[in-house]
Amino acid sequence: LAAPLLIAGSRVVPVDSEAESGEAKKAQVADTGWVAFTPKEKNFIMWAACVNLFLGQLGFAIFAPFFPQEAAAKGVSTSLLGLIFGIFQVVVVAFTPVTVLLQPIFGTTALLNCSLIICGVSNIVAGFAWYLSAGLPFTCAQFGVRISSGIGVSMQMQ
């Protein structure tokens, strides 16, 4: 029979439950978290996280130079345009305490993966929103995209 596997952190450690005491199992679990990564792996993870956050935030800010003219062509007023831009930051600030409460329940990795999916789908929907008719449908779609993007970004900041 194969030894049962003890999953801790991101490593899988085989455990012989009959031959080892509880203290030996605890020692194996302690060696499988962040400390089990080599310095090279830790550097890669940190750089990947930084690049992810930078490119993610860039995706939310890069449309600022051309969006006002395009939104005006779709019938969005200047005051609504300000609300569309501002709702993103309001949602990030408002939803961050919620994500802090979700982190111990789901874990950091699950929140990060979920946030990447939310932000990616939001960006894709924003691209297709240009095909909506002018006026209320376009404006509501932009608000929805910015709100869901704000929720995703607040999950990334944990």
Side-chain angles (χ1 to χ4, degrees):
L1 290 173
L5 295 177
L6 178 63
I7 300 174
S10 62
R11 310 279 181 164
V12 178
V13 180
V15 176
D16 184 6
S17 58
E18 297 164 9
E20 297 184 19
S21 68
E23 292 301 318
K25 287 181 192 177
K26 287 180 186 177
Q28 283 182 336
V29 171
D31 292 339
T32 59
W34 177 253
V35 295
F37 290 109
T38 66
K40 187 175 180 179
E41 290 172 329
K42 288 178 184 180
N43 283 337
F44 176 77
I45 291 169
M46 293 304 291
W47 276 105
C50 290
V51 168
N52 169 47
L53 288 173
F54 175 75
L55 293 177
Q57 295 300 317
L58 184 66
F60 298 120
I62 203 163
F63 71 98
F66 64 86
F67 184 73
Q69 293 83 13
E70 297 294 329
K74 290 282 194 174
V76 177
S77 68
T78 307
S79 58
L80 273 178
L81 181 65
L83 288 174
I84 290 171
F85 273 106
I87 195 73
F88 174 79
Q89 287 81 12
V90 170
V91 170
V92 170
V93 169
F95 202 77
T96 298
V98 176
T99 59
V100 168
L101 295 175
L102 293 175
Q103 185 179 9
I105 297 169
F106 297 107
T108 306
T109 304
L111 281 181
L112 181 62
N113 291 337
C114 186
S115 72
L116 292 174
I117 292 168
I118 290 172
C119 291
V121 169
S122 295
N123 284 336
I124 291 169
V125 169
F128 284 110
W130 295 108
Y131 297 109
L132 293 173
S133 60
L136 189 61
F138 177 77
T139 305
C140 289
Q142 291 303 318
F143 271 112
V145 163
R146 297 292 282 179
I147 289 170
S148 62
S149 297
I151 291 170
V153 166
S154 70
M155 293 170 129
Q156 285 181 3
M157 291 190 201
Q158 299 310 313

